Amino acid sequence: MAATVKTAGTLTKPSTANQLGRRLLRQGLHGNDVTILQGYLTIAGYPTSVDGQYGPDTAASVAAFKQAHNMTPANGVAGPAFVKALQAAISAYETDVPTGTTTINPDGTATAPANAPAAVQAAVASANQILNTSYCVGGGHGQWKSSCYDCSGSVSYVLHGAGLLSSSEDSTGFESYGSPGPGRWITIYADASHAFIVIGGRAFDTADYGGPNIPAGTGPRWRSNPLGNLADGGDYVVRHPPGM
């Protein structure tokens, strides 16, 4: 694998390729190498919450990868052979750059590019699930399923559905979520009063910027202009899920 990994955040550091594989990873461990592992698993098509904690979900993703690649034992322990296979999968992925943009359909739903990673496909599908809801302050916090969502609640729902967030965040929390800067596939814009998410070049936003409300009403909707909401003059921090 190349010394410089051409993905986002922690994965772009020149030393990244050497950080993973220095120790055997299993449940109960934590650290930057676990974060990198989780980001790689997500890129490889096994959406995993990127939190640096090697819990049951990470172990299940490791086991699923092993089973799909006929590796034995197909358990949740990440050893040298597993790391080598995962790095090979990431190298293959990185030769496949995004070639499309998320499509907004006439009914307001969206379709992710065919070559988008599984986490991106899941994020778009999750957004579509709450497309017909309305806006309410606090909606989407405390419980995932709601009849209404606020800005950060809708972003939280989408990221949770993609396996990239374990508990909801408010807009201030998203100012420190994940890694700094725009992502390759997913980017979050957040300040103290608002947050929205861009997936595959299209915004999913509760604010009425960047495109019409389809369907009509309030609440999170897809917007054709990914940066339209920046017209509100907010002091946005730009973040992204590691590897995305």
Side-chain angles (χ1 to χ4, degrees), residues 44-141:
Y46 301 84
T48 307
S49 292
V50 182
D51 56 12
Q53 304 292 325
Y54 202 118
D57 291 343
T58 301
S61 292
V62 170
F65 181 95
K66 285 184 172 181
Q67 184 174 14
H69 291 78
N70 298 314
M71 301 180 67
T72 56
N75 57 18
V77 177
F82 166 82
V83 170
K84 184 177 180 179
L86 181 60
Q87 288 176 330
I90 296 303
S91 293
Y93 168 80
E94 289 180 342
T95 64
D96 182 23
V97 298
T99 58
T101 301
T102 295
T103 301
I104 301 177
N105 304 312
D107 64 354
T109 62
T111 302
N115 71 321
V120 176
Q121 300 277 357
V124 171
S126 295
N128 288 339
Q129 289 175 7
I130 61 173
L131 185 67
N132 288 290
T133 60
S134 60
Y135 179 87
C136 66
V137 176
H141 299 280

Side-chain angles (χ1 to χ4, degrees), residues 25 36-37 51 61-62 68 83 100 103 109 121 129 135 143 161 165 167 173 177 195 197 221 224 233 236 240:
L25 294 179
I36 293 166
L37 170 68
D51 56 12
S61 292
V62 170
V83 170
T103 301
T109 62
Q121 300 277 357
Q129 289 175 7
Y135 179 87
Q143 60 181 18
L165 186 70
S167 59
Y177 166 84
I197 188 169
R221 302 290 190 267
S224 58
Y236 288 101
H240 66 271

Side-chain angles (χ1 to χ4, degrees), residues 5-13 16 35-36 39-40 43 93-94 178-187 239-244:
V5 181
K6 297 177 182 177
T7 49
T10 59
L11 305 186
T12 60
K13 295 179 179 179
T16 289
T35 299
I36 293 166
Y40 281 0
I43 296 169
Y93 168 80
E94 289 180 342
S179 299
R184 183 183 183 206
W185 286 98
I186 298 175
T187 301
R239 309 288 296 186
H240 66 271
M244 290 288 106

